[in-house]
């Protein structure tokens, strides 16, 4: 977009060039136009009257003033007239001569410019040399008084007057000056226009280059973003792969230890029963009992790993339906003989007859998994509590807590969970180094809780851990002993 200053300068230069060209043309027309006598003597008479008045005002005498005017106009003679008589003249012979021509007399009386070609009233000399005799025809012009000066009488040689009418046809100096100025301004305007055109073209080229660079910069930015995302994904994938390899290695070591220990116990017990016939009946019973315990432990770990693999591949296969909480507690207690259900407390009485939307067998497995986890991590006593609200504020929640829920809390007296390890307890194969098990118990419990449309909330301290399962409730019956 052109600037205001550029438009202003270009317009002014072009306008001045046009004006100067027109003035030069008009001046040349004026200087080359043929003029008539009137143009000459009227202009000479008017300018002469003003000049004489100025000379006299500057202190010159009338005689000196008319002599200066004659030299200025370069004519035959100049005379000052007062009351019809010549009072001063460049030719002494004219002083005291009266205006005898009627035309000139009329002009003097009426104060008008008059002119006539008529014989000279007397001899006229220039610088003491007689140039004109009495009766020689001269062109005489009368100019009235101007600015307080005298009336003037101008004498022209008719032949010279005719020569002055023919002006030169060459170019006047002023015309040349005006034309040169007009050409200079036109050149300035043209240079501004050309410069502007080149500037606009260059600006458009720069704009295209800038747009191209901006497009390339945008593409590079997008490429860098994509590369950064790819790098981040690659680093994440690498970290996941390294973590997977670490977990796999630890899992292999854990399986090697956890499976070999009960399996070695079973094999050892079987070999003792086979080879040592002198064993007492009590020893045999003890060995068989240990073998059964280790076998069940081995079976439980294998069953747990198979359950995780089955759930991850095919998901859970059960139907959610209404289950009374007292029935559910009986199934949970029967599923794990070391778990004690706390039937005391008003809260338990309120929720004991409640119905929840769940699958009883899955809940029993879930609570059993939490109970095994508690015993595996050093708990001596594990209690199941039922309540209508969370007893302790949760420090970690897995799943979505239902708006209306019944809470089954597995409470142990173990050493608690380390605060730094707490965020990872529900991850696959994560477990404390000193604890037994596969590290799949809480991972399996989380999947079961989420499948039951519930959640698991964890609160832990140095005096024990509370794992609370939240199940969506359908209805709560009146507490025992309450009136309808």
């Amino acid at each position: 977009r052109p600037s205001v200053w550029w438009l202003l300068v270009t317009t002014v230069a072009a306008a001045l060039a046009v004006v100067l060209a027109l003035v030069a043309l008009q001046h040349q027309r004026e200087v080359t136009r043929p003029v008539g006598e009137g143009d000459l003597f009227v202009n000479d008479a008017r300018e002469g009257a003003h000049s004489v008045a100025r000379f006299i005002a500057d202190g010159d005498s009338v005689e000196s003033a008319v002599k200066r005017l004659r030299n200025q106009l370069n004519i035959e003679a100049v005379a000052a007239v007062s009351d019809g008589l010549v009072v001063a003249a460049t030719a002494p012979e004219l002083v005291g001569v009266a205006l005898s021509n009627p035309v000139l007399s009329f002009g003097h009386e009426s104060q008008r410019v008059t002119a006539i070609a008529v014989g000279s009233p007397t001899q006229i000399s220039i610088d003491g040399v007689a140039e004109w005799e009495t009766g020689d025809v001269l062109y005489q012009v009368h100019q009235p008084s101007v600015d307080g000066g005298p009336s003037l009488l101008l004498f022209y040689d008719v032949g010279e007057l005719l020569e002055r009418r023919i002006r030169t046809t060459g170019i006047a100096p002023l015309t040349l000056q005006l034309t040169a100025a007009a050409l200079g301004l036109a050149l300035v305007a043209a240079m501004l226009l050309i410069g502007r055109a080149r500037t606009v073209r260059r600006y458009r080229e720069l704009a295209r280059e800038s747009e191209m660079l901006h497009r390339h910069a945008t593409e590079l930015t997008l490429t860098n973003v994509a590369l950064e995302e790819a790098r981040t994904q690659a680093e994440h994938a690498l970290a996941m792969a390294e973590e997977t390899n670490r977990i796999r290695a630890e899992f292999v070591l854990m399986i090697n230890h956890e499976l070999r220990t009960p399996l070695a116990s079973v094999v050892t017990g079987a070999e003792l029963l086979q080879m040592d016939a002198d064993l007492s009946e009590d020893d045999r019973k003890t060995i068989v009992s240990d073998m059964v315990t280790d076998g069940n432990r081995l079976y439980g770990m294998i069953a747990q790993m198979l359950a995780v693999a089955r759930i991850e591949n095919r998901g859970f296969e059960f139907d959610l339906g209404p289950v009374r909480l007292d029935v559910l507690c009986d199934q949970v207690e029967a599923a794990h003989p070391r778990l004690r259900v706390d039937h005391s407390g008003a809260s338990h009485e309120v929720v004991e007859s409640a119905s929840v939307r769940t699958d009883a067998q899955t809940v029993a497995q879930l609570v059993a998994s939490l109970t095994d986890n508690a015993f595996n991590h050093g708990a001596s006593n594990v209690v199941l509590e039922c309540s209508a609200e969370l007893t302790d504020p949760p420090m970690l929640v897995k799943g979505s807590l239902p708006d209306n829920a019944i809470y089954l809390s597995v409470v142990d007296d173990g050493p608690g969970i380390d605060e730094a390890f707490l965020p990872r307890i529900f991850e696959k194969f994560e477990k404390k180094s000193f604890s037994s098990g596969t590290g799949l118990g809480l991972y399996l419990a989380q999947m079961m809780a989420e499948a039951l449309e519930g959640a698991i909330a964890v609160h832990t301290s140095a005096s024990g851990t509370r794992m609370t399962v939240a199940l969506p409730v359908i209805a709560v019956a009146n507490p025992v002993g309450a009136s309808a």
Side-chain angles (χ1 to χ4, degrees):
R1 179 181 299 177
S3 65
V4 176
W5 285 109
W6 179 87
L7 287 175
L8 180 60
V9 172
T10 305
T11 303
V12 170
L16 287 177
V18 172
V19 170
L20 289 177
L22 293 176
V23 172
L25 180 61
Q26 182 64 28
H27 177 71
Q28 186 62 24
R29 287 179 178 177
E30 289 293 332
V31 297
T32 58
R33 180 176 62 85
V35 296
E37 297 88 340
D39 292 324
L40 287 175
F41 66 70
V42 169
N43 291 337
D44 286 352
R46 184 182 301 112
E47 293 176 3
H50 286 289
S51 296
V52 169
R54 186 171 62 255
F55 295 155
I56 294 173
D58 291 340
D60 288 351
S61 63
V62 178
E63 290 79 3
S64 177
V66 295
K67 288 180 180 180
R68 290 178 64 182
L69 179 58
R70 179 198 170 279
N71 294 331
Q72 177 179 314
L73 298 179
N74 194 22
I75 59 177
E76 314 317 318
V78 176
V81 181
S82 178
D83 295 330
L85 294 176
V86 176
V87 295
T90 57
E93 299 85 354
L94 291 174
V95 178
V97 175
L99 295 180
S100 59
N101 186 273
V103 174
L104 297 176
S105 299
F106 172 77
H108 181 69
E109 293 173 358
S110 62
Q111 289 295 298
R112 293 182 181 180
V113 177
T114 54
I116 189 171
V118 65
S120 174
T122 183
Q123 177 181 303
I124 297 177
S125 62
I126 299 176
D127 296 330
V129 178
E131 295 287 344
W132 303 93
E133 297 295 333
T134 303
D136 289 343
V137 177
L138 293 174
Y139 204 90
Q140 301 179 39
V141 179
H142 175 267
Q143 167 64 40
S145 173
V146 175
D147 298 334
S151 298
L152 299 179
L153 187 62
L154 309 180
F155 293 84
Y156 292 89
D157 183 350
V158 176
E160 293 181 1
L161 184 63
L162 292 175
E163 291 179 0
R164 293 177 62 184
R165 290 180 58 192
I166 302 174
R167 300 186 180 181
T168 59
T169 58
I171 299 177
L174 182 58
T175 302
L176 290 175
Q177 296 173 1
L178 293 174
T179 303
L183 289 176
L185 290 173
L187 180 61
V188 170
M191 291 179 64
L192 288 173
L193 289 174
I194 294 173
R196 176 60 187 175
R198 296 183 62 182
T199 301
V200 170
R201 184 170 63 252
R202 182 56 181 163
Y203 174 80
R204 290 175 179 172
E205 292 175 356
L206 291 176
R208 287 194 294 269
E209 293 176 1
S210 177
E211 182 180 359
M212 185 180 300
L213 290 175
H214 179 71
R215 185 168 62 253
H216 289 168
T218 302
E219 293 175 355
L220 288 176
T221 301
L222 294 177
T223 302
N224 289 336
V225 171
L227 290 175
E228 183 64 22
E229 291 178 354
R231 185 186 67 81
T232 303
Q233 293 176 359
E235 291 178 351
H236 179 70
L238 179 61
M240 292 294 294
E242 292 176 351
E243 181 66 14
T244 302
N245 290 334
R246 182 189 68 79
I247 293 174
R248 183 182 293 113
E250 292 181 356
F251 177 71
V252 170
L253 293 176
M254 178 270 299
I255 290 299
N256 181 52
H257 176 268
E258 295 296 334
L259 293 184
R260 178 179 294 179
T261 300
L263 185 60
S265 176
V266 171
V267 172
T268 301
E271 289 176 348
L272 286 174
L273 293 177
Q274 182 181 15
M275 294 185 299
D276 194 348
D278 298 330
L279 290 174
S280 65
E281 188 64 24
D282 291 339
D283 291 335
R284 288 178 177 274
K285 289 182 179 179
T286 300
I287 293 174
V288 170
S289 177
D290 291 339
M291 292 174 60
V292 170
T293 300
D294 291 333
N296 287 333
R297 178 185 171 191
L298 182 62
Y299 174 78
M301 287 190 292
I302 295 174
Q304 193 177 62
M305 288 186 287
L306 293 176
V308 170
R310 182 181 67 254
I311 293 171
E312 287 181 341
N313 292 328
R314 294 183 297 175
F316 285 94
E317 296 178 359
F318 54 74
D319 294 326
L320 299 180
V323 179
R324 282 177 57 88
L325 190 60
D326 51 356
V327 176
L328 182 61
C329 290
D330 292 339
Q331 293 189 20
V332 169
E333 190 171 15
H336 205 297
R338 297 180 65 184
L339 176 66
R340 182 174 60 86
V341 178
D342 185 4
H343 295 278
S344 63
S347 177
H348 185 85
E349 293 180 358
V350 172
V351 301
E352 191 175 34
S353 300
S355 294
V356 292
R357 183 174 179 270
T358 188
D359 179 78
Q361 184 177 359
T362 303
V363 173
Q365 294 176 0
L366 170 58
V367 174
S369 180
L370 296 178
T371 303
D372 289 337
N373 182 75
F375 283 119
N376 289 338
H377 288 82
S380 300
N381 297 295
V382 181
V383 179
L384 177 65
E385 298 179 356
C386 301
S387 63
E389 59 185 13
L390 285 172
T391 305
D392 296 315
M395 300 169 65
L396 178 66
V397 176
K398 288 294 182 179
S400 300
L401 291 172
D403 294 333
N404 189 16
I406 291 296
Y407 301 96
L408 304 181
S409 298
V410 177
V411 184
D412 66 62
D413 58 356
I417 303 173
D418 182 57
E419 184 176 352
F421 184 67
L422 180 62
R424 309 201 314 268
I425 61 174
F426 289 98
E427 294 180 9
K428 196 174 182 180
F429 304 129
E430 287 288 349
K431 69 186 190 72
K432 281 293 187 179
S433 58
F434 67 85
S435 62
S436 61
T438 62
L440 296 173
L442 293 183
Y443 175 71
L444 181 60
Q446 174 191 345
M447 290 195 297
M448 288 189 288
E450 292 176 351
L452 294 173
E453 300 179 359
I456 298 179
V458 182
H459 180 86
T460 185
S461 64
S463 59
T465 300
R466 178 184 291 270
M467 296 268 187
T468 302
V469 180
L471 299 175
V473 68
I474 297 177
V476 178
N478 290 329
V480 178
S483 58

